[in-house]
Amino acid sequence: MRMVTVGTRGSTLALAQTQWVVARLKEEWPDTDFRIQTISTKGDRNRGSLEAMAQKGDKGFWVKEIEDALLAKRIDIAVHSLKDLPTEQPEGLEVSSIPRRVDARDVLIGKEGMKRLADLPQGARVGTSSVRRKAFLRAYRPDLQVIDLRGNIDTRLAALAGNEYDAIILAAAGLIRTEMRHRIDEFVEPDIMLPAPGQGALALETRADDDLTIEVAYAIHDHTTDDRITAEREFLAGLGAGCMAPVGAHATVKGGLLTLEGWVGALDGGHVIRATTQGDPSECADLGAELATDMLDRGAQALIDAARS
Ligand SMILES: NCc1[nH]cc(CCC(=O)O)c1CC(=O)O
């Protein structure tokens, strides 16, 4: 029997999404044996200094050790949250399959009476970890207090139970995948907070020459998700930015037309540059690159640089 080892981080979310992937793969390949191997990354070990690492240009702190395990053939497929995966893969590795995306939106979870973003009282304390959420939240509601909130999903939910926060913002996908959808109080619409490029999608990474495993992984590839996230990621790459930038991107496909929206925000919320483009889904990469060029012409670089320092 063929055996495929699937590697991932050890967090609840990483394990839940890897178990989902393996169940889907097993449906397609009932005669293949799948084994899950967890791997600890620099991001898992140094939670406190993620921003410092990002500033040094170290983009791959959630994935480096997992990619090393792929290259050393300790694992055959790596499962990543797409939004944490740098836009380029190291020599010898490739993204071979993009499974169907779940909800890309951010969500609000609040205490009693704090369950809708628009209705939060003046000065309410909202916890979030990402510069993108901070920038867009401050632009929408300059009166709110935006407070740092780090850690995995369980840690963040535990923090909300304490006294420091009135509400927190997370990715819907993480809660859906860990069977905590019932905790969601409000889906924040993209016209208020544009999601991160690739949010809600997974990436299956393999060795670029491992044809057998690539065929296995590709069985759960979803073309529409791929077109959407390709547009979003090319936009991010075109801006020269990574997952720690105040950048949102959200593509949808309707009636055979791909619509890509991109936002770049000032971290203080004072300014958000917004742009939209449309085209055939087969042109997804070009649409993303063109939108990035357009935004750079309109001053996006200064906002990205400012958020970095
Ligand atoms: N940066 C951490 C991270 N990476 C992926 C997800 C959620 C799942 C996803 O976006 O696919 C999260 C948690 C969050 O942002 O709330």
Side-chain angles (χ1 to χ4, degrees):
M1 196 185 247
R2 178 163 60 182
M3 160 86 109
V4 173
T5 305
V6 184
T8 191
R9 297 174 41 222
S11 71
T12 309
L13 175 59
L15 274 176
Q17 55 200 22
T18 302
Q19 280 156 2
W20 179 85
V21 163
V22 165
R24 285 287 295 110
L25 289 173
K26 189 75 186 168
E27 280 174 32
E28 303 291 333
W29 305 97
D31 296 334
T32 298
D33 241 2
F34 296 93
R35 195 169 66 92
I36 295 177
Q37 163 117 30
T38 61
I39 295 164
S40 153
T41 68
K42 208 158 147 190
D44 295 304
R45 292 192 296 272
N46 300 321
R47 282 219 156 258
S49 50
L50 289 186
E51 265 154 9
M53 285 191 272
Q55 272 161 23
K56 280 187 275 170
D58 188 353
K59 292 193 202 152
F61 40 77
W62 295 120
V63 300
K64 168 86 167 63
E65 287 81 354
I66 296 177
E67 289 181 333
D68 288 348
L70 268 177
L71 288 166
K73 304 195 177 183
R74 290 194 299 275
I75 62 172
D76 305 304
I77 298 177
V79 177
H80 306 284
S81 288
L82 191 81
K83 80 170 176 185
D84 298 330
L85 189 65
T87 47
E88 278 176 44
Q89 279 52 68
E91 182 72 32
L93 299 181
E94 65 177 32
V95 173
S96 311
S97 175
I98 306 285
R100 181 170 42 81
R101 183 182 218 171
V102 299
D103 203 307
R105 288 174 293 182
D106 292 302
V107 298
L108 182 91
I109 305 181
K111 294 215 166 102
E112 211 43 54
M114 305 278 182
K115 298 191 181 291
R116 293 190 59 84
L117 191 53
D119 301 339
L120 293 181
Q122 287 243 338
R125 301 159 307 165
V126 182
T128 175
S129 56
S130 90
V131 294
R132 173 186 62 88
R133 291 177 187 136
K134 284 178 191 159
F136 300 162
L137 192 58
R138 287 178 175 136
Y140 173 64
R141 283 282 309 264
D143 64 291
L144 296 175
Q145 292 182 59
V146 182
I147 308 179
D148 236 11
L149 170 62
R150 318 214 142 259
N152 57 35
I153 296 176
D154 310 313
T155 316
R156 294 190 218 176
L157 289 172
L160 177 64
N163 280 326
E164 252 180 283
Y165 307 93
D166 297 312
I168 61 176
I169 295 184
L170 302 165
L175 295 158
I176 292 169
R177 291 212 164 95
T178 53
E179 288 177 28
M180 286 196 284
R181 182 190 262 277
H182 61 279
R183 295 291 313 265
I184 297 173
D185 290 316
E186 181 186 28
F187 286 87
V188 183
E189 290 306 326
D191 62 347
I192 290 172
M193 186 174 292
L194 201 68
Q199 184 158 292
L202 303 177
L204 274 54
E205 190 182 17
T206 64
R207 288 180 292 282
D209 63 359
D210 186 359
D211 294 340
L212 273 180
T213 305
I214 291 169
E215 188 191 358
V216 167
Y218 197 69
I220 64 168
H221 184 73
D222 183 77
H223 289 279
T224 302
T225 299
D226 190 19
D227 290 344
R228 293 172 64 195
I229 64 94
T230 299
E232 294 166 9
R233 279 164 71 77
E234 286 297 320
F235 172 69
L236 184 67
L239 292 172
C243 71
M244 309 290 277
V247 172
H250 187 53
T252 51
V253 177
K254 258 194 208 110
L257 191 67
L258 186 143
T259 303
L260 172 66
E261 178 156 11
W263 292 7
V264 180
L267 192 47
D268 69 3
H271 184 43
V272 180
I273 305 176
R274 298 176 168 89
T276 307
T277 185
Q278 285 191 320
D280 192 87
S282 65
E283 283 148 25
C284 51
D286 291 341
L287 290 167
E290 285 160 20
L291 198 68
T293 307
D294 177 32
M295 303 271 278
L296 289 172
D297 288 346
R298 293 172 51 202
Q301 190 68 56
L303 300 184
I304 293 168
D305 291 346
R308 237 178 228 144
S309 53

